[in-house]
Amino acid sequence: MTTPENLKYTKSHEWVRQENDGTVTVGITFHAQDLLGDVVFVENPAPGRTVRQGEECGVIESVKAAADIYAPLSGEIVAANGELADAPEKINQDPYSAWMFRIRPASPDELAGLLDAAAYQKIADAEKQ
């Protein structure tokens, strides 16, 4: 499994990448898409929506299961990846390129509380056992 070092992670298997404009890009991890199997549907939060850290804000469905997507940070949704509506399988092909949505953080301090790659990898490894 790949866990890029340049990203932050949540215990609920979202990855977060800080962008130069201050927004953060969010997707699901390799481990999450591996557990789900073939992704067939993605429902992203609508741009303009305000979310709280840990709030359910989207859904991802596979041939095996459905899972909620949680906001890794509080803030406003500024973009959603519309390509995933027609091609949800992009998440299986490369979960770190197939971003789901972008947030303008309300409290940048929340980013510091997310997991680094090593801490996330320990959680993913424990779940495999």
Side-chain angles (χ1 to χ4, degrees), residues 12 14 26 43-46 49-60 66-75 77 100-101 103:
S12 55
E14 290 85 18
V26 180
E43 180 183 315
N44 279 318
R49 177 178 169 184
T50 300
V51 294
R52 290 182 324 276
Q53 186 176 40
E55 177 182 341
E56 294 174 14
C57 65
V59 175
I60 188 164
D68 291 322
I69 302 300
Y70 299 91
L73 305 167
S74 300
I77 305 296
M100 297 180 72
F101 56 93
I103 297 177

CSV table of all heavy atoms in Angstrom, one decimal, residues 12 14 26 43-46 49-60 66-75 77 100-101 103:
chain,number,residue,atom,x,y,z
A,12,SER,N,-10.5,8.2,9.8
A,12,SER,CA,-11.6,7.7,8.9
A,12,SER,C,-11.2,7.6,7.5
A,12,SER,O,-12.1,7.4,6.6
A,12,SER,CB,-12.9,8.6,9.1
A,12,SER,OG,-12.6,10.0,8.8
A,14,GLU,N,-9.6,9.6,5.2
A,14,GLU,CA,-9.5,10.6,4.2
A,14,GLU,C,-8.0,11.1,4.1
A,14,GLU,O,-7.3,11.1,5.1
A,14,GLU,CB,-10.4,11.8,4.5
A,14,GLU,CG,-11.9,11.5,4.3
A,14,GLU,CD,-12.5,10.9,5.6
A,14,GLU,OE1,-11.9,10.9,6.7
A,14,GLU,OE2,-13.6,10.3,5.4
A,26,VAL,N,-9.2,17.1,-0.6
A,26,VAL,CA,-9.6,15.9,0.2
A,26,VAL,C,-9.9,14.7,-0.8
A,26,VAL,O,-10.6,14.9,-1.8
A,26,VAL,CB,-10.8,16.2,1.1
A,26,VAL,CG1,-11.2,15.0,1.9
A,26,VAL,CG2,-10.5,17.4,2.0
A,43,GLU,N,-20.9,10.8,-4.0
A,43,GLU,CA,-21.7,12.0,-3.7
A,43,GLU,C,-20.9,12.9,-2.9
A,43,GLU,O,-20.6,12.6,-1.7
A,43,GLU,CB,-23.0,11.6,-2.9
A,43,GLU,CG,-23.8,12.8,-2.7
A,43,GLU,CD,-25.1,12.5,-1.8
A,43,GLU,OE1,-25.7,11.5,-2.1
A,43,GLU,OE2,-25.3,13.2,-0.9
A,44,ASN,N,-20.4,14.0,-3.5
A,44,ASN,CA,-19.6,15.0,-2.9
A,44,ASN,C,-20.5,16.1,-2.3
A,44,ASN,O,-21.6,16.3,-2.7
A,44,ASN,CB,-18.7,15.6,-3.9
A,44,ASN,CG,-17.4,14.8,-4.1
A,44,ASN,OD1,-16.9,14.2,-3.2
A,44,ASN,ND2,-17.0,14.7,-5.4
A,45,PRO,N,-20.0,16.8,-1.3
A,45,PRO,CA,-20.7,17.9,-0.7
A,45,PRO,C,-20.7,19.1,-1.8
A,45,PRO,O,-19.8,19.2,-2.6
A,45,PRO,CB,-19.9,18.3,0.5
A,45,PRO,CG,-18.5,17.8,0.2
A,45,PRO,CD,-18.7,16.6,-0.6
A,46,ALA,N,-21.8,19.8,-1.7
A,46,ALA,CA,-22.0,20.9,-2.7
A,46,ALA,C,-21.1,22.1,-2.3
A,46,ALA,O,-21.0,22.5,-1.1
A,46,ALA,CB,-23.4,21.4,-2.7
A,49,ARG,N,-21.3,24.9,0.9
A,49,ARG,CA,-21.7,24.3,2.1
A,49,ARG,C,-20.6,24.5,3.2
A,49,ARG,O,-19.4,24.4,2.9
A,49,ARG,CB,-21.9,22.8,1.9
A,49,ARG,CG,-22.3,22.0,3.2
A,49,ARG,CD,-22.6,20.6,2.9
A,49,ARG,NE,-22.7,19.8,4.2
A,49,ARG,CZ,-22.8,18.5,4.3
A,49,ARG,NH1,-22.9,17.8,3.2
A,49,ARG,NH2,-22.9,17.9,5.4
A,50,THR,N,-21.0,24.8,4.4
A,50,THR,CA,-20.1,24.9,5.5
A,50,THR,C,-20.2,23.6,6.3
A,50,THR,O,-21.3,23.1,6.6
A,50,THR,CB,-20.5,26.1,6.4
A,50,THR,OG1,-20.5,27.3,5.6
A,50,THR,CG2,-19.5,26.2,7.6
A,51,VAL,N,-19.0,23.1,6.7
A,51,VAL,CA,-18.9,21.8,7.4
A,51,VAL,C,-18.1,22.0,8.6
A,51,VAL,O,-17.2,22.9,8.7
A,51,VAL,CB,-18.3,20.7,6.5
A,51,VAL,CG1,-19.2,20.3,5.3
A,51,VAL,CG2,-16.9,21.0,6.0
A,52,ARG,N,-18.3,21.1,9.6
A,52,ARG,CA,-17.5,21.0,10.8
A,52,ARG,C,-16.6,19.8,10.7
A,52,ARG,O,-16.9,18.8,10.1
A,52,ARG,CB,-18.4,20.9,12.1
A,52,ARG,CG,-19.2,22.1,12.4
A,52,ARG,CD,-20.0,21.9,13.7
A,52,ARG,NE,-20.6,20.6,13.9
A,52,ARG,CZ,-21.7,20.1,13.3
A,52,ARG,NH1,-22.4,20.9,12.6
A,52,ARG,NH2,-22.1,18.9,13.6
A,53,GLN,N,-15.4,19.9,11.3
A,53,GLN,CA,-14.5,18.8,11.4
A,53,GLN,C,-15.2,17.5,11.9
A,53,GLN,O,-15.8,17.6,12.9
A,53,GLN,CB,-13.3,19.1,12.2
A,53,GLN,CG,-12.2,18.0,12.1
A,53,GLN,CD,-10.9,18.4,12.9
A,53,GLN,OE1,-11.0,19.0,14.0
A,53,GLN,NE2,-9.8,18.1,12.4
A,54,GLY,N,-15.1,16.4,11.2
A,54,GLY,CA,-15.7,15.2,11.6
A,54,GLY,C,-17.1,15.0,11.1
A,54,GLY,O,-17.7,13.9,11.3
A,55,GLU,N,-17.7,16.0,10.5
A,55,GLU,CA,-19.1,15.9,10.0
A,55,GLU,C,-19.2,15.1,8.8
A,55,GLU,O,-18.3,15.2,7.9
A,55,GLU,CB,-19.6,17.3,9.7
A,55,GLU,CG,-21.0,17.4,9.2
A,55,GLU,CD,-21.4,18.8,8.9
A,55,GLU,OE1,-20.8,19.8,9.4
A,55,GLU,OE2,-22.4,19.0,8.1
A,56,GLU,N,-20.2,14.2,8.7
A,56,GLU,CA,-20.5,13.5,7.4
A,56,GLU,C,-20.8,14.5,6.4
A,56,GLU,O,-21.7,15.4,6.6
A,56,GLU,CB,-21.7,12.6,7.6
A,56,GLU,CG,-21.4,11.4,8.6
A,56,GLU,CD,-22.7,10.6,8.9
A,56,GLU,OE1,-23.6,10.7,8.1
A,56,GLU,OE2,-22.7,9.9,9.8
A,57,CYS,N,-20.1,14.4,5.2
A,57,CYS,CA,-20.4,15.4,4.2
A,57,CYS,C,-20.5,14.8,2.8
A,57,CYS,O,-20.7,15.5,1.8
A,57,CYS,CB,-19.4,16.5,4.2
A,57,CYS,SG,-17.7,16.0,3.8
A,58,GLY,N,-20.3,13.5,2.7
A,58,GLY,CA,-20.4,12.8,1.4
A,58,GLY,C,-20.6,11.3,1.5
A,58,GLY,O,-20.5,10.8,2.7
A,59,VAL,N,-20.8,10.7,0.4
A,59,VAL,CA,-20.9,9.2,0.4
A,59,VAL,C,-20.2,8.6,-0.7
A,59,VAL,O,-20.1,9.2,-1.8
A,59,VAL,CB,-22.4,8.8,0.3
A,59,VAL,CG1,-22.6,7.3,0.2
A,59,VAL,CG2,-23.3,9.4,1.4
A,60,ILE,N,-19.6,7.5,-0.5
A,60,ILE,CA,-18.9,6.7,-1.6
A,60,ILE,C,-19.5,5.3,-1.5
A,60,ILE,O,-19.6,4.7,-0.4
A,60,ILE,CB,-17.4,6.7,-1.4
A,60,ILE,CG1,-16.7,6.1,-2.7
A,60,ILE,CG2,-16.9,6.1,-0.1
A,60,ILE,CD1,-15.3,6.5,-2.8
A,66,ALA,N,-21.3,0.8,1.2
A,66,ALA,CA,-21.3,2.3,1.1
A,66,ALA,C,-20.6,2.8,2.4
A,66,ALA,O,-20.7,2.2,3.4
A,66,ALA,CB,-22.8,2.7,1.1
A,67,ALA,N,-20.0,4.0,2.2
A,67,ALA,CA,-19.3,4.5,3.3
A,67,ALA,C,-19.5,6.1,3.3
A,67,ALA,O,-19.6,6.7,2.3
A,67,ALA,CB,-17.8,4.2,3.3
A,68,ASP,N,-19.6,6.6,4.5
A,68,ASP,CA,-19.7,8.1,4.6
A,68,ASP,C,-18.3,8.7,4.5
A,68,ASP,O,-17.3,8.1,4.8
A,68,ASP,CB,-20.2,8.5,6.0
A,68,ASP,CG,-21.7,8.1,6.1
A,68,ASP,OD1,-22.4,8.2,5.2
A,68,ASP,OD2,-22.1,7.7,7.3
A,69,ILE,N,-18.2,9.9,3.9
A,69,ILE,CA,-17.0,10.7,3.9
A,69,ILE,C,-17.2,11.8,4.9
A,69,ILE,O,-18.2,12.4,5.0
A,69,ILE,CB,-16.8,11.3,2.5
A,69,ILE,CG1,-16.8,10.2,1.4
A,69,ILE,CG2,-15.6,12.1,2.4
A,69,ILE,CD1,-15.7,9.1,1.6
A,70,TYR,N,-16.1,12.0,5.7
A,70,TYR,CA,-16.1,13.0,6.8
A,70,TYR,C,-15.2,14.2,6.4
A,70,TYR,O,-14.2,14.0,5.8
A,70,TYR,CB,-15.7,12.3,8.1
A,70,TYR,CG,-16.6,11.2,8.5
A,70,TYR,CD1,-16.3,9.9,8.1
A,70,TYR,CD2,-17.7,11.4,9.2
A,70,TYR,CE1,-17.1,8.8,8.4
A,70,TYR,CE2,-18.6,10.4,9.6
A,70,TYR,CZ,-18.3,9.1,9.2
A,70,TYR,OH,-19.1,8.1,9.5
A,71,ALA,N,-15.7,15.3,6.8
A,71,ALA,CA,-14.9,16.5,6.7
A,71,ALA,C,-13.7,16.5,7.6
A,71,ALA,O,-13.8,16.4,8.8
A,71,ALA,CB,-15.7,17.8,7.0
A,72,PRO,N,-12.5,16.5,7.0
A,72,PRO,CA,-11.3,16.4,7.8
A,72,PRO,C,-11.0,17.7,8.6
A,72,PRO,O,-10.3,17.7,9.6
A,72,PRO,CB,-10.1,16.1,6.9
A,72,PRO,CG,-10.6,16.7,5.6
A,72,PRO,CD,-12.1,16.5,5.6
A,73,LEU,N,-11.6,18.8,8.1
A,73,LEU,CA,-11.4,20.1,8.7
A,73,LEU,C,-12.7,20.9,8.7
A,73,LEU,O,-13.6,20.6,7.8
A,73,LEU,CB,-10.4,21.0,7.9
A,73,LEU,CG,-9.0,20.3,7.7
A,73,LEU,CD1,-8.2,21.1,6.7
A,73,LEU,CD2,-8.2,20.3,9.0
A,74,SER,N,-12.9,21.9,9.6
A,74,SER,CA,-14.0,22.8,9.5
A,74,SER,C,-13.8,23.8,8.4
A,74,SER,O,-12.6,24.2,8.2
A,74,SER,CB,-14.2,23.5,10.8
A,74,SER,OG,-14.5,22.5,11.9
A,75,GLY,N,-14.8,24.2,7.7
A,75,GLY,CA,-14.7,25.3,6.7
A,75,GLY,C,-15.8,25.2,5.7
A,75,GLY,O,-16.8,24.5,5.8
A,77,ILE,N,-16.9,24.3,1.7
A,77,ILE,CA,-16.6,23.6,0.5
A,77,ILE,C,-16.5,24.6,-0.6
A,77,ILE,O,-17.4,25.3,-0.9
A,77,ILE,CB,-17.7,22.5,0.3
A,77,ILE,CG1,-17.9,21.6,1.5
A,77,ILE,CG2,-17.3,21.7,-1.0
A,77,ILE,CD1,-16.7,20.7,1.9
A,100,MET,N,-11.7,14.4,-4.1
A,100,MET,CA,-13.2,14.5,-4.0
A,100,MET,C,-13.7,15.9,-3.9
A,100,MET,O,-14.6,16.3,-4.6
A,100,MET,CB,-13.7,13.6,-2.9
A,100,MET,CG,-13.3,12.2,-3.1
A,100,MET,SD,-13.9,11.1,-1.8
A,100,MET,CE,-15.6,11.1,-2.0
A,101,PHE,N,-13.1,16.7,-3.0
A,101,PHE,CA,-13.6,18.1,-2.8
A,101,PHE,C,-12.5,18.9,-2.2
A,101,PHE,O,-11.5,18.4,-1.7
A,101,PHE,CB,-14.9,18.1,-1.9
A,101,PHE,CG,-14.8,17.5,-0.6
A,101,PHE,CD1,-14.4,18.2,0.5
A,101,PHE,CD2,-15.1,16.1,-0.4
A,101,PHE,CE1,-14.4,17.6,1.8
A,101,PHE,CE2,-15.0,15.5,0.8
A,101,PHE,CZ,-14.6,16.2,1.9
A,103,ILE,N,-11.8,22.3,0.5
A,103,ILE,CA,-12.3,23.1,1.7
A,103,ILE,C,-11.4,24.3,1.9
A,103,ILE,O,-10.2,24.2,1.8
A,103,ILE,CB,-12.3,22.3,3.0
A,103,ILE,CG1,-13.2,21.1,2.9
A,103,ILE,CG2,-12.7,23.1,4.2
A,103,ILE,CD1,-13.2,20.2,4.1
